[in-house]
Amino acid sequence: MNRPQKVDQDLAEWLPALNQSWYVNRVVQVKRKYNLSMDQAEANTARRVLDACPRNCTEAHSMGMSNMGRDHRSYQPKFDRNRDGIACER
């Protein structure tokens, strides 16, 4: 769906409007698995996005975030335990 927007662009050049935490985390995982490099701009963007994302639901709740739907920028599937599309439910 968004392929024409992001072709040949790295994290510093393109991020999805939704689920940035999940997307950046996944890109970093893939790059680590296949020993791929990042330039400084891409690494800075990854660090900035990931630093702004909660690490767990306790941290999310302390930041005033709960019941994050899939459209929330910090939604991460690992926080959606019952897979209903809502993360860090209260």
Side-chain angles (χ1 to χ4, degrees):
M1 176 188 252
N2 61 12
R3 195 170 284 167
Q5 297 170 350
K6 67 176 191 135
V7 173
D8 282 343
Q9 294 182 348
D10 65 20
L11 295 176
E13 300 165 327
W14 184 88
L15 288 170
L18 304 175
N19 300 322
Q20 288 183 0
S21 297
W22 175 87
Y23 180 79
V24 172
N25 187 48
R26 186 71 181 127
V27 168
V28 170
Q29 287 175 350
V30 169
K31 286 188 179 258
R32 283 183 179 158
K33 180 177 180 175
Y34 294 102
N35 200 26
L36 302 173
S37 64
M38 282 188 179
D39 63 27
Q40 192 61 53
E42 186 177 18
N44 290 344
T45 299
R47 189 172 297 112
R48 176 183 52 79
V49 171
L50 293 175
D51 284 349
C53 298
R55 306 280 186 242
N56 55 51
C57 286
T58 301
E59 185 176 329
H61 292 158
S62 73
M63 297 167 74
M65 292 187 269
S66 61
N67 301 323
M68 295 177 284
R70 286 189 181 105
D71 61 338
H72 191 281
R73 72 178 189 90
S74 293
Y75 174 87
Q76 294 181 52
K78 68 181 180 181
F79 298 155
D80 185 0
R81 301 217 187 274
N82 61 0
R83 304 201 191 303
D84 66 350
I86 307 293
C88 296
E89 295 176 79
R90 281 203 181 228

